[in-house]
């Protein structure tokens, strides 16, 4: 597995794609079909804006469907994108196994595919994502670096049909395993959360607190939306701010919780960068470029079935109270929103 840094990905994409909108590398007059799993988290709208912008600026057509968190609907969504004439598909699978029949159909029809953010174990799909195991490692490492190296840890995992939930967990465990083995860290609650829904995460956290008589010292939540649910459960017990909570996505509310001190970290995946790499790769694929000739790729075979796919992995950035200026300076969040109610001494506020 090879990783490329965000800077390198952006730089190499820029180097390779420079001027290509008027040249022959990117397609013109093609239809790009995007199958979204859900728009529950705010990041997906940002991903979409970048992808749509690049596709349309290149003279191509953007069509899309929102599966609204239903694996069943997503199967018919993909079929419909194919019948509307998609020349290339970007799929964010809600459930990576359930989507396979639609993927097989696209492959049989020779339509190139990108598994966007979430892996599809099919050799014809290009997996474009942030390094999810790396996101998990950063969550756990930030927890240890904050001084929380022992105690009762709760793990609020994402949806079980999303391989990212497991990739994240694997990265988290890589970092925490020695503490667990030594007995310093106790895994007291370890639950998947249907649909990554904040309200389900809140319920999971409430049940965890009840089962432990509130003796929970750290919460590893696999995304920001669920961190919001976990913090609400902690809040109800007067524990918010005293128990560190992780997340990912750079949600605006989560960055603000970091500033207020109720969330320890949001691992930021600048989806504008991911959208750019994927949209440009999609336009190259639509133009007949072979998967192997897409720049910056490497083989990836860490999925459940061990299928080797071609991948592009970008590197995430942990945002804590010591580097909130990074997301402000990058134009990801405005200072007033990020810093409202911030504790003293928060970077950038
Ligand atoms: C994505 C996360 C997102 C989650 C819920 C995961 O596959 O990587 O960024 O928060 O799905 O949509």
């Amino acid at each position: 597995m090879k990783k490329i840094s965000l800077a390198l990905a952006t730089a190499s994409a820029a180097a390779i794609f420079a001027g290509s909108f008027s040249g022959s590398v990117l397609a013109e007059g093609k239809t790009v079909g995007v199958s979204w799993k859900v728009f529950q988290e705010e990041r997906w709208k940002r991903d979409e804006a970048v992808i749509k912008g690049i596709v349309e600026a290149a003279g191509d057509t953007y069509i899309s469907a929102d599966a609204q968190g239903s694996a069943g609907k997503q199967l018919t969504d993909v079929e419909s994108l194919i019948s509307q004439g998609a020349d290339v598909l970007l799929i964010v699978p809600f459930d990576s196994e359930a989507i396979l029949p639609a993927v097989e159909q696209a492959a049989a029809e020779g339509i190139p595919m990108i598994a966007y953010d979430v892996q599809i174990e099919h050799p014809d799909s290009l997996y474009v994502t942030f390094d999810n195991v790396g996101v998990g490692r950063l969550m756990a490492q930030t927890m240890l670096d904050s001084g929380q190296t022992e105690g009762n840890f709760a793990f609020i995992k994402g949806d079980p049909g999303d391989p990212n939930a497991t990739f994240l967990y694997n990265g988290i465990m890589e970092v925490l395993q020695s503490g667990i083995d030594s007995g310093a860290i106790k895994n007291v609650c370890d639950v998947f959360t249907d649909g990554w829904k904040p309200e389900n995460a809140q319920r999971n956290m409430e049940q965890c607190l009840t089962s432990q008589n509130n003796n929970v010292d750290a919460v590893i939540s696999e995304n920001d939306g669920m961190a919001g649910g976990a913090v609400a459960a902690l809040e109800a017990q007067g524990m918010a701010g005293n128990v560190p909570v992780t997340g990912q996505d750079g949600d605006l509310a989560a960055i603000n919780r970091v500033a207020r001190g109720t969330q320890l970290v949001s691992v930021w995946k600048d989806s504008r960068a991911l959208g750019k790499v994927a949209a440009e790769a999609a336009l190259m694929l639509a133009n007949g470029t072979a998967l192997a000739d897409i720049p910056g790729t490497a083989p990836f075979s860490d999925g459940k079935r061990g299928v080797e796919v071609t991948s592009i992995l970008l590197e995430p950035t942990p945002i804590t109270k010591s580097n909130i200026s990074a997301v402000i300076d990058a134009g990801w969040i405005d200072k007033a929103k990020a810093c409202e109610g911030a504790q003293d001494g928060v970077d950038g506020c």
Side-chain angles (χ1 to χ4, degrees), residues 37 41 43-44 117-118 162 164 196 223 248-249 269:
K37 63 170 179 166
E41 291 74 25
R43 62 157 292 187
W44 301 114
D117 192 274
V118 182
D162 183 339
N164 285 345
W196 300 83
N223 82 353
Q248 66 153 327
D249 286 344
K269 304 184 298 187

Side-chain angles (χ1 to χ4, degrees), residues 284-300:
M284 292 181 79
L285 290 170
N287 227 15
T289 305
L291 266 190
D293 296 333
I294 301 289
T297 62
F300 180 96

Side-chain angles (χ1 to χ4, degrees), residues 3 37 41 44 47 115 124 129 151 158 169 174 224 235 266-267 272 289 326 339 349:
K3 278 182 278 169
K37 63 170 179 166
E41 291 74 25
W44 301 114
D47 295 67
D124 292 351
T129 190
Y169 191 72
E174 252 180 53
D224 285 340
E235 195 113 63
S266 172
V267 180
R272 300 169 302 184
T289 305
C339 297
C349 293

